[in-house]
Amino acid sequence: MGKQSTKSVKDLLFGDLWEYAPAPQGTDFVELDERYGHYIGGEFVGLDSEETFDTINPATEEKLATISVADEATVDRAVKAARKAYDNHWSKISGAERAKYLYRIARMIQEKARNLAVVETMDGGKPIKESRDVDIPLAAAHFFYYAGWADKLDYAFPGATIKPLGVAGQVIPWNFPLLMAAWKIAPALAAGNTVVIKPAETTPLTAMLLAQIIDEAGLPPGVVNIVNGAGATGAAIVNHDDIDKVAFTGSTQVGKIIQRAVAGTGKKLTLELGGKGANIVFDDAPIDQAVEGIINGIFFNQGHVCCAGSRLLVQENIADEVIAKLKQRMSTLIVGDPLDKNTDVGAINSREQLDRITELVGSGVDEGAQKFQPKCALPDTGYFFAPTIFTDVTPSHRIAQEEIFGPVLSVLTFRTPDEAVKKANNTPYGLACGIWSDKGSKLFRVAGALKAGVIWGNTYNKFDPTSPFGGYKESGFGREGGVQGLLAYLEVR
Amino acid sequence: MAKKAKRERLDIYKTFKLYIGGRFPRTESGRYLTETTHKGAFVANICRASRKDFRDAVVAARKAQSGWAGRTPFNRSQIFYRMGEMLESRRDGFERALQERAGYSEKKAVAEVDAAIDRLVWYGGWADKFIQVFGNTNPVASPHFNFTMPEPTGVVASLAPRSAPLLGLVTSMAPLIVSGNAVVCFVDHDHRSIAIDFAEVLHCSDLPGGVVNILTGHRDEVLGHVSGHRDVDGIAVFDAEGDERRSIGLEAADTVKRVHFYDTPDKADWSDSAAQSPYWILPFVEFKTAWHPM
């Protein structure tokens, strides 16, 4: 499919003709400690722990810092600090006071925005233009938005009696480290809870910078506690008896483990899990805009996005044209140094993730799908993966079913809107979908039939603090963002 | 059924069957439970539903769900009202059943039927309003129109309350189906026959077959199967304690089911307004958010 049709599209291959001059983001103003521990009860602790791990820059494989691992005793200390802060302080002050603390945090994130963006990119591998223009501004906006709710909760749920839950235990992923911390902490605090949060082990640094901000903002000790570590630390939080609520963002596999772990405990649970989003392109869509949307849908943040549009469903009669344009557009993507301001696709977050992407792409080839990667020189060091699309994909292929969480797009075709809906819904996931069509009635009808928590019509990968985000089916339950995001942190009767 | 004194005519007993997909089949298992009145007199040999019956009911619910969700909220609202009408016109039978079988006083029986009818009407009114109350537009900081609205979760298994044979069932079922879910209600208490009487109300209320399915039996013997069924999207639970909650939660995690444990009001409080709330609808809706450039 699409093999000979490239002829109808004019080639304009920047990568071959021109070189972009390097536009590196400076890092000289970034000051990182060699060692980070935890932030518990308003103190930076745990610098002496024996168990540690290194966090590295995935683009260079250079070590950035050594991080302490929080064991059960450390987590217990954090939970106790959170409980004490909840009982003695946070649950007693007025919503207006809570709001002002959150506003302070939002402002300080804005003040330190460039620093945070650079560290986010160094630690996680995402292009600086994304951390600078998306992650950090949205994190600040999230705190700002929920700050305003803290003293207006009585207006959020008409007729209901509400109260905070207590201590929230939160575990977040590595794909949007600071933004996910904001998504978790801001609504929890606004609703009157205190938190113990664990950043992902490959991206702990911006969380530790956030701890400094929280400290400078003068938040009462123990309202926010940040502990570092991997799965065992997360499990210690989830299983702690004195946690009232668990919020997790990550894989569906781990989400199920957590759902089992809290079964029968009475802990309130929200899960934001994996996805296999369908990006549906109808033949009446504005094709060039759709191609941009497809590119953004799958290559944004190297495809490390739970709501990525990782399955392209394109109407059969325009498939050749769309695929040809897509391939051409892919060849203009700049893959490489995440700190370069021109970079479109940065580094894969970790060796482990690179191996997983490589394995799944291998399965796509083995199962008979056609792989395409544009010519692009990948850096010699670091973890990189070329933007990839697969055509001739059938719904049963692993690359059509499993979440790859990388820059890999599977292309399927359909003939009728009903078939598109059926194929889009044919997955255990239900997080996000895109629809491209110029026909409003068709777009609305398909949007209604899709089983997904977020529907992007003629756009993709848009986020906003006021806009609830979360999944149907095995993509989890609960929402983050918007007034609905408060439900995760309140008892509502 | 309970005999009236000095009747010349021999009355006929009613066969209580299950309610699945808008039909009244016997349990495929052929098993029965003997139900007696609170005084021990024979009421009926009612169906002891099996795991297979549950699976059949889930198939029926799945088949009915999208059509039910696709009805206009106005239409769902009217069907709820119709249920109220049907119950009102059969209220004598229910009052008698509550007294004769469950040992209610006349006053209490009348109160339970009153409350059940009123509750149906009350929830019916929410069908085209909860979306307005719980949905909204979102003022995003970009040139997009953005809105959020609740949609039904899908097929919900309901472990119905063990008390208030009529009102408990109505209270547990109404907030699930008003949003467009289809349910399989599993009824396990001493007066299960009243649930099947109520199925007859549903059956003549223009409610599409399969939207509500009612099974009678022992909760314990189907529990693992209910919580682990892969085509069930949610489990709404009344009257479960520690171990039972844990076992439901463990099985439910395999497919990330939504599980909600409702608080059982004290017996006297079933008719209280605290036992009806639009917030009882929320555990089994999914919020869908849509974006479009403008």
Side-chain angles (χ1 to χ4, degrees):
Chain A
M1 184 182 305
K3 273 170 203 152
Q4 61 276 69
S5 59
T6 33
K7 281 175 191 156
S8 61
V9 180
K10 281 183 187 166
D11 282 350
L12 194 64
L13 300 176
F14 297 95
D16 286 355
L17 300 177
W18 307 333
E19 296 249 314
Y20 273 83
Q25 164 68 51
T27 59
D28 52 334
F29 55 90
V30 173
E31 289 174 12
L32 290 174
D33 295 348
E34 283 177 15
R35 178 79 190 260
Y36 287 97
H38 322 291
Y39 182 62
I40 296 175
E43 288 175 22
F44 292 89
V45 299
L47 292 169
D48 51 352
S49 83
E50 282 176 19
E51 204 187 338
T52 64
F53 60 94
D54 292 341
T55 186
I56 64 161
N57 181 336
T60 61
E61 300 177 58
E62 284 165 10
K63 177 180 156 184
L64 293 170
T66 301
I67 313 290
S68 301
V69 172
D71 56 11
E72 275 187 32
T74 310
V75 168
D76 182 57
R77 201 171 145 196
V79 174
K80 285 198 168 89
R83 174 64 59 193
K84 195 173 154 198
Y86 178 77
D87 288 342
N88 296 346
H89 197 95
W90 202 243
S91 63
K92 296 195 170 144
I93 65 172
S94 70
E97 293 298 299
R98 290 203 308 274
K100 287 189 285 184
Y101 282 117
L102 291 172
Y103 281 124
R104 274 192 192 174
I105 296 171
R107 275 299 198 230
M108 288 180 173
I109 290 174
Q110 289 174 326
E111 287 158 15
K112 296 185 173 186
R114 186 57 62 94
N115 196 62
L116 288 163
V118 173
V119 174
E120 198 75 300
T121 285
M122 289 168 70
D123 203 18
K126 64 172 61 202
I128 184 68
K129 72 175 179 191
E130 290 178 12
S131 48
R132 182 195 61 201
D133 297 347
V134 181
D135 290 62
I136 311 303
L138 276 178
H142 216 81
F143 275 104
F144 208 89
Y145 172 74
Y146 277 109
W149 269 124
D151 54 358
K152 299 169 193 69
L153 298 173
D154 288 339
Y155 301 94
F157 303 106
T161 314
I162 53 160
K163 65 173 197 194
L165 302 169
V167 177
Q170 307 173 319
V171 177
I172 56 171
W174 44 260
N175 55 344
F176 295 90
L178 184 73
L179 183 58
M180 290 300 106
W183 278 26
K184 292 283 179 288
I185 296 171
L189 264 50
N193 306 276
T194 57
V195 309
V196 175
I197 186 169
K198 184 193 87 64
E201 64 271 27
T202 63
T203 54
L205 292 181
T206 46
M208 296 319 290
L209 299 184
L210 179 63
Q212 283 167 7
I213 288 173
I214 286 167
D215 206 56
E216 287 165 16
L219 234 73
V223 171
V224 174
N225 304 275
I226 303 178
V227 293
N228 280 303
T233 307
I237 296 173
V238 168
N239 292 323
H240 196 289
D241 284 344
D242 205 29
I243 291 275
D244 301 299
K245 191 248 151 54
V246 173
F248 171 74
T249 296
S251 71
T252 291
Q253 186 194 356
V254 175
K256 290 178 180 180
I257 293 170
I258 291 175
Q259 192 175 357
R260 285 184 201 109
V262 304
T265 62
K267 291 172 188 167
K268 186 163 173 161
L269 177 67
T270 45
L271 298 171
E272 203 271 89
L273 308 177
K276 193 71 189 174
N279 210 348
I280 304 169
V281 182
F282 286 103
D283 60 5
D284 55 12
I287 301 291
D288 290 335
Q289 287 173 39
V291 168
E292 286 306 308
I294 297 163
I295 292 281
N296 176 42
I298 187 59
F299 300 124
F300 177 63
N301 200 29
Q302 298 74 246
H304 300 329
V305 184
C306 45
C307 54
S310 54
R311 288 180 301 155
L312 172 62
L313 293 179
V314 57
Q315 200 151 15
E316 200 174 83
N317 54 325
I318 56 162
D320 287 352
E321 182 189 359
V322 169
I323 292 166
K325 287 193 170 186
L326 192 58
K327 287 177 175 175
Q328 188 206 38
R329 179 67 180 85
M330 282 169 71
S331 63
T332 68
L333 290 172
I334 300 170
V335 186
D337 180 8
L339 280 167
D340 192 300
K341 292 167 190 168
N342 286 321
T343 293
D344 298 307
V345 180
I348 300 304
N349 184 264
S350 65
R351 163 67 65 188
E352 189 191 358
Q353 187 58 26
L354 181 62
D355 290 346
R356 177 168 164 74
I357 295 167
T358 308
E359 192 271 322
L360 271 160
V361 165
S363 85
V365 174
D366 292 346
E367 290 185 327
Q370 296 298 313
K371 183 175 87 167
F372 168 84
Q373 291 175 327
K375 270 186 273 173
C376 65
L378 301 180
D380 295 332
T381 59
Y383 313 136
F384 289 90
F385 199 89
T388 305
I389 61 169
F390 277 104
T391 51
D392 296 345
V393 178
T394 69
S396 63
H397 284 164
R398 284 182 65 200
I399 52 169
Q401 286 292 330
E402 296 181 32
E403 185 177 39
I404 300 174
F405 225 61
V408 182
L409 178 68
S410 300
V411 184
L412 297 96
T413 58
F414 67 90
R415 290 183 179 174
T416 64
D418 284 347
E419 189 190 347
V421 167
K422 210 171 266 177
K423 281 185 166 163
N425 286 340
N426 180 22
T427 154
Y429 296 115
L431 192 49
C433 284
I435 309 167
W436 298 83
S437 168
D438 250 0
K439 198 155 194 246
S441 55
K442 186 196 287 179
L443 200 143
F444 269 105
R445 196 159 63 82
V446 172
L450 291 173
K451 302 279 183 222
V454 182
I455 308 288
W456 284 295
N458 292 318
T459 184
Y460 209 93
N461 270 344
K462 293 286 180 287
F463 309 94
D464 193 276
T466 67
S467 179
F469 184 92
Y472 281 40
K473 303 196 287 186
E474 293 193 21
S475 288
F477 43 74
R479 292 292 176 266
E480 297 184 287
V483 62
Q484 287 80 5
L486 291 167
L487 284 169
Y489 293 98
L490 288 170
E491 184 189 295
V492 177
R493 283 171 194 275
Chain B
M1 205 148 309
K3 308 157 269 260
K4 290 262 153 61
K6 291 177 191 151
R7 294 272 305 259
E8 286 171 18
R9 177 181 164 274
L10 183 69
D11 55 4
I12 58 166
Y13 289 159
K14 175 161 146 188
T15 307
F16 291 92
K17 297 185 280 185
L18 304 175
Y19 185 51
I20 299 175
R23 306 175 57 135
F24 291 90
R26 285 196 168 85
T27 170
E28 61 79 36
S29 69
R31 303 178 308 169
Y32 69 95
L33 295 162
T34 300
E35 185 174 308
T36 57
T37 69
H38 68 292
K39 287 180 178 165
F42 177 80
V43 174
N45 292 313
I46 68 164
C47 290
R48 177 173 164 184
S50 65
R51 302 197 294 187
K52 175 73 165 75
D53 293 320
F54 178 75
R55 288 202 297 276
D56 292 346
V58 171
V59 170
R62 177 62 66 195
K63 206 170 152 195
Q65 195 268 323
S66 59
W68 176 237
R71 297 286 183 106
T72 64
F74 174 52
N75 183 248
R76 286 205 297 274
S77 190
Q78 290 183 97
I79 290 172
F80 263 75
Y81 193 81
R82 184 75 176 156
M83 290 184 228
E85 290 175 353
M86 292 299 109
L87 186 52
E88 186 83 63
S89 69
R90 286 162 174 72
R91 62 173 306 144
D92 293 352
F94 281 94
E95 286 171 14
R96 203 167 61 238
L98 286 166
Q99 291 172 67
E100 291 177 0
R101 297 182 218 162
Y104 277 43
S105 67
E106 186 185 353
K107 190 179 162 200
K108 259 191 70 186
V110 169
E112 176 149 336
V113 177
D114 281 349
I117 296 166
D118 290 353
R119 190 148 295 164
L120 287 167
V121 173
W122 190 82
Y123 271 110
W126 276 112
D128 52 6
K129 294 167 194 69
F130 84 96
I131 297 170
Q132 290 181 306
V133 172
F134 298 128
N136 41 267
T137 57
N138 305 304
V140 295
S142 58
H144 293 91
F145 180 62
N146 176 303
F147 63 94
T148 298
M149 58 184 280
E151 290 187 343
T153 294
V155 172
V156 180
S158 167
L159 300 175
R162 293 186 190 272
S163 52
L166 175 64
L167 184 55
L169 181 62
V170 167
T171 302
S172 60
M173 172 213 78
L176 300 178
I177 65 169
V178 70
S179 64
N181 291 303
V183 294
V184 179
C185 302
F186 202 92
V187 177
D188 180 8
H189 52 61
D190 290 341
H191 315 291
R192 302 176 183 89
S193 60
I194 294 175
I196 301 302
D197 287 333
F198 183 67
E200 294 161 16
V201 171
L202 299 175
H203 196 62
C204 56
S205 299
D206 301 325
L207 184 74
V211 172
V212 176
N213 305 275
I214 299 179
L215 307 179
T216 53
H218 290 309
R219 186 193 278 197
D220 292 350
E221 64 182 21
V222 295
L223 190 67
H225 201 68
V226 170
S227 341
H229 194 296
R230 300 192 74 82
D231 203 31
V232 169
D233 302 307
I235 311 176
V237 188
F238 278 88
D239 297 324
E241 290 315 316
D243 282 351
E244 210 180 357
R245 287 188 177 206
R246 192 173 131 74
S247 115
I248 291 167
L250 283 175
E251 295 281 346
D254 284 348
T255 51
V256 196
K257 288 182 181 64
R258 288 82 175 112
V259 181
H260 188 76
F261 299 99
Y262 287 93
D263 293 333
T264 304
D266 295 338
K267 255 188 175 178
D269 286 336
W270 274 107
S271 56
D272 191 84
S273 60
Q276 60 183 26
S277 166
Y279 292 95
W280 286 33
I281 301 171
L282 286 190
F284 297 98
V285 299
E286 311 289 319
F287 286 104
K288 180 182 273 182
T289 298
W291 295 68
H292 198 277
M294 60 180 191

